[in-house]
Coordinates of all heavy atoms in Angstrom, one line a residue:
L145 N -14.8 -3.8 -8.5 CA -14.1 -4.9 -9.2 C -13.4 -5.8 -8.3 O -12.8 -6.8 -8.7 CB -13.1 -4.3 -10.2 CG -13.6 -3.3 -11.2 CD1 -12.5 -2.6 -11.9 CD2 -14.5 -4.0 -12.2
N394 N -4.7 3.0 -18.6 CA -6.0 3.3 -17.9 C -5.8 3.2 -16.4 O -5.4 2.1 -15.9 CB -7.1 2.3 -18.4 CG -8.4 2.6 -17.8 OD1 -8.5 2.7 -16.6 ND2 -9.4 2.6 -18.6
G397 N -7.8 0.6 -14.7 CA -7.3 -0.7 -15.1 C -6.0 -1.0 -14.2 O -5.8 -2.1 -13.8
G400 N -7.2 -2.2 -11.1 CA -7.8 -3.6 -11.3 C -6.7 -4.6 -11.3 O -6.8 -5.7 -10.6
V401 N -5.7 -4.4 -12.1 CA -4.7 -5.4 -12.3 C -3.9 -5.5 -11.0 O -3.7 -6.6 -10.5 CB -3.7 -5.0 -13.4 CG1 -2.4 -5.9 -13.4 CG2 -4.4 -5.0 -14.8
R404 N -6.1 -6.8 -7.8 CA -6.5 -8.2 -7.9 C -5.3 -9.1 -7.9 O -5.3 -10.2 -7.4 CB -7.3 -8.4 -9.2 CG -8.7 -7.9 -9.1 CD -9.5 -7.8 -10.4 NE -9.8 -9.1 -11.0 CZ -11.1 -9.6 -11.0 NH1 -12.1 -8.9 -10.5 NH2 -11.3 -10.7 -11.6
P459 N -16.8 -9.2 -11.1 CA -16.5 -9.9 -12.4 C -15.4 -10.9 -12.2 O -14.4 -10.6 -11.5 CB -16.1 -8.8 -13.4 CG -16.1 -7.5 -12.6 CD -16.7 -7.7 -11.3
A460 N -15.6 -12.1 -12.8 CA -14.5 -13.1 -12.7 C -13.7 -13.1 -14.0 O -14.1 -12.5 -15.0 CB -15.2 -14.5 -12.5
G461 N -12.6 -13.8 -13.9 CA -11.7 -13.9 -15.1 C -11.5 -12.6 -15.8 O -11.3 -11.6 -15.3
E462 N -11.7 -12.7 -17.2 CA -11.4 -11.5 -18.0 C -12.6 -10.5 -18.1 O -12.5 -9.5 -18.7 CB -10.9 -11.9 -19.4 CG -11.9 -12.6 -20.3 CD -12.0 -14.1 -20.1 OE1 -11.6 -14.6 -19.0 OE2 -12.4 -14.8 -21.0
D463 N -13.6 -10.9 -17.4 CA -14.8 -10.0 -17.4 C -14.5 -8.6 -16.9 O -15.2 -7.6 -17.3 CB -16.0 -10.6 -16.6 CG -16.6 -11.8 -17.3 OD1 -16.1 -12.1 -18.4 OD2 -17.5 -12.4 -16.7
Y464 N -13.6 -8.5 -16.0 CA -13.3 -7.1 -15.5 C -12.7 -6.2 -16.5 O -12.8 -5.0 -16.4 CB -12.6 -7.2 -14.2 CG -11.1 -7.2 -14.3 CD1 -10.3 -6.0 -14.2 CD2 -10.4 -8.4 -14.4 CE1 -8.9 -6.1 -14.2 CE2 -9.0 -8.5 -14.5 CZ -8.3 -7.3 -14.4 OH -6.9 -7.3 -14.4
I465 N -12.1 -6.8 -17.6 CA -11.5 -5.9 -18.6 C -12.6 -5.2 -19.3 O -12.6 -4.0 -19.5 CB -10.7 -6.8 -19.6 CG1 -9.5 -7.4 -18.9 CG2 -10.2 -5.9 -20.8 CD1 -8.6 -8.3 -19.8
A466 N -13.7 -5.9 -19.6 CA -14.8 -5.3 -20.3 C -15.5 -4.2 -19.4 O -15.9 -3.1 -19.9 CB -15.9 -6.3 -20.7
E467 N -15.5 -4.4 -18.1 CA -16.1 -3.5 -17.2 C -15.3 -2.1 -17.3 O -15.8 -1.1 -17.3 CB -15.9 -4.0 -15.8 CG -17.0 -5.0 -15.4 CD -18.3 -4.4 -15.0 OE1 -18.2 -3.3 -14.4 OE2 -19.3 -5.0 -15.2
I468 N -14.0 -2.3 -17.3 CA -13.1 -1.1 -17.3 C -13.2 -0.4 -18.7 O -13.2 0.8 -18.7 CB -11.6 -1.5 -17.0 CG1 -11.6 -1.9 -15.5 CG2 -10.7 -0.4 -17.3 CD1 -10.3 -2.5 -15.0
Q469 N -13.3 -1.2 -19.7 CA -13.5 -0.6 -21.1 C -14.7 0.3 -21.1 O -14.8 1.3 -21.7 CB -13.5 -1.6 -22.1 CG -12.1 -2.2 -22.4 CD -12.1 -3.4 -23.3 OE1 -13.1 -4.1 -23.4 NE2 -11.0 -3.6 -24.0
K470 N -15.8 -0.3 -20.5 CA -17.1 0.4 -20.5 C -16.9 1.7 -19.7 O -17.4 2.8 -20.1 CB -18.2 -0.5 -19.9 CG -19.5 0.1 -20.0 CD -20.6 -0.9 -19.7 CE -22.0 -0.3 -19.8 NZ -22.2 1.0 -19.2
Y471 N -16.3 1.6 -18.6 CA -16.1 2.8 -17.7 C -15.3 3.9 -18.4 O -15.5 5.1 -18.4 CB -15.4 2.4 -16.4 CG -15.3 3.5 -15.4 CD1 -16.5 3.9 -14.7 CD2 -14.1 4.1 -15.0 CE1 -16.4 4.9 -13.7 CE2 -14.0 5.1 -14.1 CZ -15.2 5.5 -13.4 OH -15.1 6.5 -12.5
E472 N -14.3 3.4 -19.2 CA -13.5 4.3 -20.0 C -14.3 5.1 -21.0 O -14.2 6.3 -21.1 CB -12.4 3.5 -20.7 CG -11.6 4.4 -21.6 CD -10.2 3.8 -21.9 OE1 -10.1 2.7 -22.3 OE2 -9.2 4.5 -21.7

Side-chain angles (χ1 to χ4, degrees):
L145 303 171
N394 180 312
V401 171
R404 283 169 70 109
E462 67 272 28
D463 288 358
Y464 86 95
I465 297 180
E467 282 278 328
I468 289 170
Q469 286 172 332
K470 185 169 183 312
Y471 188 71
E472 173 158 53

